[in-house]
Amino acid sequence: MSQFTPAALSDGEAQPSLLLLGEPALETGGELLSLPPEVPLWLTAFVACQDEPVSRLELLELLYPDVPADAARNRLRQLLHRARHLDWAAGLSASGEVLHWTGRVDARLFRQACQAGRWSQALALYRGSLLDGHRPTGFPAFAAWLDAEREDLHAAWLDAALSQAGELEGGGQPGAALLILEQLLDASPFAEEAVQAALRCAAGLGDGERGARIYGRFRTHLRRELGLEPETVTTQLYEAVRELRPLPSVRRSLSRATTPLFGREDEVRWVREQLAQPDGRLLSVIGPGGSGKTRLSLEVLAWAGQEAGLTASFVALESVGAVDGVVTAITAALGLAPGGSEPPEEQLLSALMTARHLLVLDNLEHLLASPERAPLLRWLQNVLDQAPQVRVIVTSRIRLGLQEERVLSLDGLDFPAAPDLDLAARSSAVRLLIERASRVRAGFALDPQNVGALIQICALTGGLPLALELSAAWMATFEPQDIVTELSASLDLLGGDAPDRPERHRSLRAAFEQSWRLLGNTERQVLARLSVLRGGFDRPAAQAVAGSGLLALLTLADHSLIRRDLGGRYRLHEVIREYAAEALRAGRDSELVTEPVTEAEARRLHAAHFAALAAEAAPHLHGPDQAAWLSRLDAEHDNFRAALGWVLDHGTADDALRLSAALHWFWYVRGHHREGLRWMTAALERPDGNTQARVLTLDGAGALARELGLYDQSVMWLEDALTLARSTRLPVLEAQVLYGLGLTVRELGHADRALTLLEQAEALQRQLGQSWGLSTTLNDLGIFWARNGDPVRARQLFSESLRLKEQLGDRQGIAYALSNLGNTLDDPADFQRLTEQSLSIKRVLGDRQGVANSLFNLADLQIDRGELTAGRALLEEALDLFWQLGRKRAVAAALIEFGKLAVAEGRPERCLQLNGAAETLLGSLHVPAPSMGMNGQIDAATATLGEVEAELWTRLGRMMSLENAVGLARLN
């Protein structure tokens, strides 16, 4: 399919690579060994494509669903035995009841490249469709999975190709972009976004003939295969190319939307126009569930990030129950670390004041219809008042009611009133219906025989995109006229149920309930139980919570009831989740639910699964896989919140303590200090519980309280933990608590006691062989001696800490040990080398605070060397990060460093202003200004200007707002 050059998967290693994209093969030393299309390959391909281990039960369902259990297990054992003796299947590993793939495989590398935005790598990896040319017979479940996986991977490839072409186009290389787009259209001739991009590139090259050829081919395919016409915007682009009118290039950002947008050109244009107005700062896109509010906002968001110069962020809020959750979600979407003693609301506000932001707050209606409405509106109004560069788009079923709000009411897509074939071919609703139907029914197209029924479907669903998608999924087994009959009957059933229900809401419910009736009992139960999951879910979660095998998920996806994103996670549209949750809560026997399902049981299973996941993750957060595990916990954060809420209300004290303790390091590293402390406090309020779990929770709460500046509370919890650990003879935990207590009393200024506690922790950890704890304690002992004038001793401690961290594979620990060790070295070249190594690791891990610290240190080194341009660039990046993270003490340090830079640049006035602003900021933090080392540069600036003028500039700096001081620092 693809003409892109295959990637070298070895990365300089001799490790074999399993190639499943395209003709299956094993790559070893640059040579390809073709693999036989037999059952061991089907088994291996399925396991190798999964990020998570695969249970034997899933494999039985996949390969032998109709075989008696004992016979099926015997066949699977024989198959595994056979596969293990094949050289190319050496990466297949079995552990108990689960299997996983331990080797390299192109399909997973391809997905990872797509998720990371490494488009050229992704294109090189994609040699063709999964197991290209092979379709196994006798294994219908595997074939169904293979079809779905091929479609997902192909969609990811399309996105990668479009994104790579967009980068080339935006970078002034329309010819290179056009080559990729033409290859894409050879494989996917209906990809209209690619046609539009190709037309822009042809215009950029002044090649009207090539543009006409691309458009003509696309229009012919569309008419012949689907009976449709191109979108209006595509035709307009073609007209511009034909007349050789120049067109602006568009740099396509990382795609968030996995489906094309049908129609809505006028609505998108209106939103863009409003955002361009000085007072167009708060827009509400309102409409019934399933009307496409989220999809439209994503389209605007992509435009804003590419063309409007806005920092654009999408914030999903369907799982958020309070204003503080809104703040946390926005903070996460902006990539900020919500730590420190300053309230998260203030930290977020500080970050929003630094750049032109566009926030899409998606699915806000449940908060607007709750007691949270008033505090939410107050918070939103405060953001608009305090951060004048921020623009906000809200999607909701109800409006906000604020004075600044401008409202776009979104209805269904357009469709003709009469069965006119030409009008239907240009109708947005019909185009969506045909596009979705053609996915489940090969050869389905608009024609004179079905146009009337298709327009009736559009009318019965009110043109709502979600209802149309559900209806299109029935085309696999129903004719359009049969669907009209079923929808009409469902609407009649609902007519007397709720006469005040809006017509479009009734239409969507009718479409859902018809989809529900088409499901088997197993799929109904699975969908109902899936409604307890939040923020998406993976395959193991579906299995644990809903008892869902792969076939059930595939069936629900075929019916458009769940979707799988490009990262492999599944999601329910919020409206579908609501309807499914109704069935779960009802637990009734009726025409729609033939077997009762229990909400309490589903929530118990949900909590148990995510408690087990947290417990599994905890030890990995200190090892070589910490980045992957932190990302996995990030993805499940909403599910952890739901699980914590359930165990606090319905679980035991052990449940609450174990789950909160397991999540402590995740909260700590990701900066969720306040949220984590809130959960841990609630768990500690439960009486009794497992002693070890209570000690761990007390220790974690003490650490989070320390980060928030709640020192008295931190000491109390840590001393309680120490007493409990000693009384119950838990020496490993005793050492851990001694370390934490040492850090807290150090921050309180009790240096002698801090040293005693840290040395006690060190001795105990050495005795017990606790490598990770010892390596961390050694690092902080090194900091103590570095601050207290013994760099030689500090260097020894940092070096030992680094060795242990390297043995453990703790990359975060390695980064900090390198940085600290570099600070003790006399040779600037050694300092730079170690600090740059540390910076590189921190960037990979996404440790923004650590990145900022390393940038600051490197900037200081460059300024001392006289490399002022390089120093300024590093310092500007550090200041931006400190500001975004809300680290005001670090912001003050950066202002002082900019003052040092100003002296070197011959700007003594600016130096004094910045130091004056820093002095004011430090005073608000109760930090003595002399401790920050500003005196030398102040003296130099004063000597140049004289004391009277110097005092004037310093006084002006003290009166500056912090925002103006930051702006002055960045002014070149």
Side-chain angles (χ1 to χ4, degrees), residues 200-278:
R200 287 195 305 270
C201 292
L205 294 169
D207 194 340
E209 183 179 344
R210 196 171 178 184
R213 188 166 61 249
I214 290 168
Y215 176 81
R217 180 186 177 197
F218 170 68
R219 187 182 184 197
T220 300
H221 274 296
L222 202 60
R223 282 177 162 180
R224 185 178 63 231
E225 303 297 332
L226 300 180
L228 301 176
E229 290 291 333
E231 291 183 8
T232 302
V233 65
T234 308
T235 302
Q236 290 171 344
L237 285 169
Y238 162 64
E239 296 291 343
V241 173
R242 190 174 63 175
E243 298 169 10
L244 296 181
R245 297 202 307 267
L247 294 170
S249 64
V250 176
R251 182 181 293 275
R252 191 174 190 269
S253 61
L254 179 62
S255 174
R256 289 190 178 99
T258 57
T259 56
L261 179 67
F262 290 91
R264 305 300 194 200
E265 291 91 352
D266 292 340
E267 291 89 342
V268 169
R269 187 180 305 110
W270 182 88
V271 174
R272 291 182 180 181
E273 290 171 353
Q274 298 304 311
L275 290 173
Q277 300 299 318

Side-chain angles (χ1 to χ4, degrees), residues 403-741:
Q403 187 173 354
E404 292 185 61
E405 179 185 25
R406 298 185 180 189
V407 178
L408 172 65
S409 183
L410 211 59
D411 293 320
L413 297 173
D414 67 280
F415 56 89
D420 183 294
L421 195 62
D422 289 337
L423 291 177
R426 293 174 172 83
S427 154
S428 299
V430 174
R431 285 173 61 85
L432 188 152
L433 194 57
I434 295 295
E435 194 273 341
R436 294 294 187 273
S438 65
R439 294 186 181 194
V440 299
R441 184 170 174 178
F444 187 82
L446 176 68
D447 59 38
Q449 288 70 46
N450 63 25
V451 62
L454 293 175
I455 290 174
Q456 282 185 278
I457 293 171
C458 295
L460 289 167
T461 58
L464 291 177
L466 180 58
L468 289 169
E469 288 187 32
L470 293 174
S471 301
W474 310 340
M475 299 285 187
T477 52
F478 286 93
E479 294 300 324
Q481 189 56 55
D482 297 329
I483 295 173
V484 170
T485 302
E486 293 294 333
L487 280 174
S488 300
S490 294
L491 281 169
D492 290 340
L493 287 174
L494 295 171
D497 175 46
D500 60 341
R501 191 189 305 277
E503 180 67 27
R504 286 191 173 84
H505 191 88
R506 292 177 57 238
S507 299
L508 181 55
R509 179 175 287 275
F512 169 78
E513 295 199 353
Q514 174 61 13
S515 294
W516 181 274
R517 276 193 290 269
L518 291 173
L519 296 174
N521 292 340
T522 298
E523 287 78 18
R524 293 180 191 175
Q525 291 243 18
V526 166
L527 181 60
R529 289 177 176 241
L530 289 176
S531 69
V532 306
L533 290 151
R534 292 291 186 271
F537 56 92
D538 58 17
R539 183 178 46 79
Q543 176 68 46
V545 176
S548 170
L550 183 67
L551 286 181
L553 293 179
L554 292 175
T555 300
L556 293 174
D558 285 343
H559 285 72
S560 295
L561 292 165
I562 64 173
R563 285 180 179 163
R564 183 179 174 183
D565 63 26
L566 296 182
R569 286 176 65 79
Y570 295 92
R571 293 186 179 275
L572 278 77
H573 189 288
E574 183 59 19
V575 176
I576 299 298
R577 195 195 68 77
E578 289 175 9
Y579 291 158
E582 287 180 15
L584 182 65
R585 284 192 296 270
R588 66 192 187 276
D589 289 330
S590 71
E591 179 187 1
L592 298 184
V593 183
T594 56
E595 294 183 24
V597 292
T598 308
E599 181 181 15
E601 175 65 6
R603 295 195 182 280
R604 185 192 67 78
L605 291 170
H606 175 275
H609 173 73
F610 286 100
L613 177 61
E616 181 186 3
H620 293 285
L621 300 182
H622 301 308
D625 299 324
Q626 58 193 191
W629 277 98
L630 284 168
S631 296
R632 185 173 177 188
L633 297 186
D634 279 331
E636 303 295 0
H637 204 170
D638 283 337
N639 279 312
F640 286 125
R641 289 172 176 135
L644 282 159
W646 190 88
V647 298
L648 286 169
D649 289 339
H650 304 284
T652 66
D654 279 358
D655 294 332
L657 291 168
R658 291 182 191 279
L659 180 52
S660 58
L663 290 171
H664 153 249
W665 193 248
F666 164 67
W667 288 323
Y668 185 88
V669 172
R670 287 299 196 238
H672 302 297
H673 301 142
R674 291 179 181 273
E675 180 180 0
L677 186 59
R678 192 164 58 246
W679 290 116
M680 297 189 107
T681 301
L684 290 169
E685 288 173 353
R686 299 286 297 272
D688 303 320
N690 178 271
T691 301
Q692 181 171 332
R694 182 166 290 276
V695 173
L696 285 168
T697 306
L698 285 166
D699 178 65
L704 295 177
R706 178 176 61 247
E707 290 297 308
L708 294 168
L710 304 173
Y711 296 116
D712 290 344
Q713 188 67 64
S714 176
V715 169
M716 185 191 75
W717 274 324
L718 289 167
E719 288 183 341
D720 286 350
L722 186 58
T723 299
L724 191 55
R726 283 174 169 168
S727 66
T728 53
R729 297 182 181 179
L730 297 171
V732 172
L733 297 185
E734 179 185 347
Q736 182 173 322
V737 177
L738 283 167
Y739 164 77
L741 186 57

Side-chain angles (χ1 to χ4, degrees), residues 166 373 399 446 503 543 596 705 820 855 902:
R373 178 185 178 89
R399 61 181 300 169
L446 176 68
E503 180 67 27
Q543 176 68 46
N820 289 330
L855 289 168

Side-chain angles (χ1 to χ4, degrees), residues 875-894:
L875 193 54
E876 285 180 355
E877 187 179 353
L879 175 59
D880 287 347
L881 286 170
F882 287 141
W883 181 269
Q884 292 167 10
L885 294 167
R887 304 290 186 177
K888 289 191 174 179
R889 187 179 186 279
V891 168

Side-chain angles (χ1 to χ4, degrees), residues 31-89:
E31 296 184 0
L32 296 184
L33 170 67
S34 295
L35 304 183
E38 299 173 351
V39 184
L41 179 59
W42 314 148
L43 169 72
T44 302
F46 178 76
V47 175
C49 283
Q50 311 304 316
D51 289 327
E52 305 301 326
V54 178
S55 71
R56 291 175 186 259
L57 188 62
E58 288 179 274
L59 293 173
L60 291 174
E61 182 186 39
L62 185 77
L63 298 172
Y64 311 116
D66 300 322
V67 177
D70 289 342
R73 283 190 170 275
N74 186 51
R75 287 192 191 181
L76 182 58
R77 280 193 296 270
Q78 293 176 6
L79 176 58
L80 289 173
H81 178 76
R82 179 182 171 193
R84 287 195 189 103
H85 286 79
L86 297 170
D87 291 341
W88 58 264

